[in-house]
Amino acid sequence: MKIFWGLFLGLLVLHQDFWNWSSEEITLLGMPVGLFYHALFSIACSILGAWAVRWAWPKEWEEYAEQRSE
């Protein structure tokens, strides 16, 4: 869980990409660098969310829900 929270806080800090605010550079894909950065950032957030659901989801809640439905 500490790894998850560390990555979460890291992404929270990286979301404020002040270094791209005034950049008018265009990437190889034809997107402005800020838009490309946020596209990659969104993918990273999705991966972290999927990882959290897979590994950090409380199994006790699932077991409790399965017992109550029978």
Side-chain angles (χ1 to χ4, degrees):
M1 279 301 281
K2 289 181 183 180
I3 293 172
F4 169 78
W5 286 112
L7 291 171
F8 176 80
L9 291 174
L11 285 175
L12 187 65
V13 170
L14 289 174
H15 186 258
Q16 306 303 321
D17 62 331
F18 58 86
W19 54 90
N20 286 331
W21 285 353
S22 61
S23 176
E24 295 180 12
E25 183 181 344
I26 302 295
T27 63
L28 292 174
L29 299 175
M31 292 190 294
V33 70
L35 181 61
F36 184 71
Y37 176 84
H38 276 280
L40 293 178
F41 180 80
S42 295
I43 292 169
C45 288
S46 298
I47 291 170
L48 182 63
W51 180 77
V53 168
R54 175 67 178 102
W55 296 105
W57 192 265
K59 293 181 178 161
E60 300 84 28
W61 292 1
E62 293 294 326
E63 292 169 358
Y64 177 75
E66 289 174 5
Q67 291 174 357
R68 299 282 297 182
S69 63
E70 294 178 358

